[in-house]
Amino acid sequence: MSGGAEEVGLEQTRALEERYLMRTYKRAPVDFVRGEGPLLWDADDKRYLDFLTGISVCSVGHCHPDVVKAVREQSHRLMHVSNLFYTEPMAQLAERLSESSLGGRVFFSNSGTEANECAIKIARKHAHGRGVAEPEIVSFENDFHGRTYGALAATPGLAANEALGPMLAGFRAVPRNDADALGEAVGERTAAVLIEPIQGESGVFPISDEALLAARQACDEVGALLIFDEIQTGVGRTGSLWAYEQTPVRPDVLTTAKALGGGVPIGACVTAPVAADVLEVGDHGSTFAGGPVATAAALAVLAIVDDPVLLRHVRELGAYMRERLEALDGVRGTRGRGLMVGVGLEEGIDAAAVGADLLERGLVVNVPRPDTLRLLPPLVIDSDHVDIAVGLIGESLLGLSAR
Ligand code: PLP
């Protein structure tokens, strides 16, 4: 039976997936059909509090009315014409992104990994401009930059998968937060240091100010670019519009995606003036990128998030949430900034079991490592939502340790 859009329930959806989808994902046993603000409902109408937001995508909550309105209005007016022509929302969004950050030019993409591909191209071409024949990009071990081949090569954990080889040459990694190793790895060949200011996928590990300063200094010494992958940390997640604002350094390029479209796929590579004119006609392109619907959605998102009151709320609520989490039995400590929080669990507690138990209890979180829960709630929640989530996590930890 060809399903159409009717809701068919978890078992039927699972059967379709088994037959027709590639086996690239390990999914939790839930079939979400509806979302509103911080809440999700499954096909059985069970309600969940979402402290993951599609991995920091629905940061303004699910189906935010302003984003829905922007998408609806734009999709009635014009959905696509290609990058052969000018379109207003794209130009307006580029202005907004540039003026709110590094002040150079913007290239739009459809995803995070593609935003990083653009940054990698910029880094390599910029290095060739310095006379570097074989440019190299330096990252930290445990960084995650995406799954297309360039970004993959800068993601050491995944690039080790030889079955997908050969990998793109010209990438190396040094241990996370090792300022000395980073300083030594950067040399005349270095095109860029490409890092996440807070490693997200590997478990929420902030990069130390010392390591960031070392990266900035090393890049400045050889003329390399400092690139921050803010795909997870950007768009308000850490309590400033961009995570770099709370560090002592300013990158030359930043990449963003995830929360930028409020649920609509869009990414961007944003430059400082030093890297703004590196790519020229013919160097890069994408059919869908920067299309009117996605850029209209992103403008609506930034109108909500780029607000000092909301950003202060994110910092304060994040601090409150961490304090409450750290008081729970079974929690070893927390890591992160703003509402990007990793919860380290005490030895012997299986985070995957806690995550599965929380899902049953109606709280959506994620488990990036066997000892860590990751919380990425909507930025627009209040302390009542935090109290409910922390209460559920506490009950789950108690229940599992009593077994
Ligand atoms: N960079 C970071 C820091 C990410 O967290 C992710 C996704 O999790 C990516 C890049 C890749 O983004 P996408 O999945 O949109 O390609």
Side-chain angles (χ1 to χ4, degrees):
M1 202 175 58
S2 72
E6 77 260 29
E7 290 162 15
V8 289
L10 178 60
E11 289 320 312
Q12 292 92 326
T13 302
R14 260 185 157 169
L16 288 173
E17 163 125 3
E18 269 301 301
R19 167 64 184 86
Y20 292 109
L21 277 148
M22 289 193 199
R23 300 176 199 268
T24 54
Y25 299 106
K26 213 165 91 190
R27 300 190 205 275
V30 57
D31 176 7
F32 287 122
V33 296
R34 192 158 61 87
E36 190 184 317
L39 301 175
L40 283 167
W41 284 264
D42 70 13
D44 296 326
D45 217 27
K46 177 176 165 185
R47 199 172 76 168
Y48 299 77
L49 181 58
D50 186 5
F51 264 45
L52 182 60
T53 54
I55 318 183
S56 197
V57 167
C58 301
S59 287
V60 294
H62 290 278
C63 304
H64 191 290
D66 294 358
V67 179
V68 170
K69 181 167 178 275
V71 168
R72 191 192 298 119
E73 287 180 2
Q74 185 58 51
S75 58
H76 279 278
R77 203 174 307 127
L78 180 71
M79 290 179 82
H80 180 80
V81 285
S82 97
N83 280 305
L84 298 174
F85 307 99
Y86 295 101
T87 48
E88 288 165 21
M90 176 175 359
Q92 286 163 9
L93 181 62
E95 178 190 26
R96 181 130 207 185
L97 287 171
S98 170
E99 295 298 335
S100 72
S101 64
L102 306 178
R105 299 183 189 277
V106 176
F107 180 86
F108 287 111
S109 65
N110 312 290
S111 66
T113 197
E114 290 167 88
N116 283 335
E117 294 299 322
C118 177
I120 291 166
K121 277 193 180 178
I122 290 174
R124 286 183 160 194
K125 195 173 174 206
H126 183 262
H128 285 301
R130 281 175 26 227
V132 178
E134 291 185 36
E136 192 173 69
I137 291 178
V138 181
S139 296
F140 280 128
E141 288 167 9
N142 303 107
D143 262 5
F144 183 91
H145 296 297
R147 291 175 179 277
T148 48
Y149 271 100
L152 185 64
T155 301
L158 298 177
N161 184 352
E162 286 173 10
L164 301 178
M167 288 294 148
L168 203 61
F171 291 81
R172 69 192 282 185
V174 299
R176 174 176 57 222
N177 278 331
D178 189 334
D180 293 340
L182 186 71
E184 278 165 32
V186 174
E188 287 304 322
R189 271 187 68 185
T190 307
V193 171
L194 164 61
I195 50 180
E196 300 174 74
I198 301 174
Q199 291 185 336
E201 293 305 289
S202 64
V204 190
F205 290 96
I207 299 306
S208 67
D209 285 355
E210 189 200 359
L212 293 178
L213 285 165
R216 180 69 274 175
Q217 190 187 339
C219 285
D220 289 344
E221 276 167 18
V222 299
L225 297 175
L226 179 60
I227 304 172
F228 273 14
D229 176 340
E230 292 234 23
I231 286 159
Q232 195 160 139
T233 56
V235 196
R237 173 55 56 192
T238 67
S240 46
L241 190 60
W242 309 107
Y244 82 80
E245 295 172 52
Q246 294 180 71
T247 76
V249 304
R250 195 179 163 87
D252 302 307
V253 177
L254 74 79
T255 52
T256 170
K258 288 193 182 282
L260 184 59
V264 178
I266 181 168
C269 177
V270 187
T271 59
V274 66
D277 294 311
V278 175
L279 295 187
E280 297 163 293
V281 172
D283 283 336
H284 207 28
S286 164
T287 296
F288 290 120
V293 177
T295 46
L299 282 165
V301 167
L302 288 176
I304 300 161
V305 175
D306 192 5
D307 168 2
V309 176
L310 178 77
L311 294 170
R312 190 174 63 238
H313 169 76
V314 171
R315 294 193 296 275
E316 289 172 357
L317 201 59
Y320 171 71
M321 182 163 86
R322 287 176 67 176
E323 196 185 308
R324 290 222 46 201
L325 286 163
E326 283 170 10
L328 294 178
D329 281 343
V331 170
R332 191 165 30 89
T334 63
R335 304 180 294 270
R337 200 167 292 142
L339 285 171
M340 178 174 185
V341 175
V343 187
L345 303 181
E346 274 167 12
E347 223 178 293
I349 303 178
D350 174 10
V354 180
D357 182 61
L358 285 170
L359 192 63
E360 270 184 32
R361 292 173 190 267
L363 180 69
V364 183
V365 303
N366 159 256
V367 181
R369 325 167 11 115
D371 65 354
T372 299
L373 303 175
R374 179 172 46 166
L375 308 182
L376 298 162
L379 309 182
V380 294
I381 54 166
D382 58 37
S383 57
D384 291 345
H385 298 111
V386 170
D387 291 344
I388 294 168
V390 174
L392 289 169
I393 294 170
E395 282 169 26
S396 179
L397 288 170
L398 262 183
L400 287 174
S401 59
R403 274 185 203 168

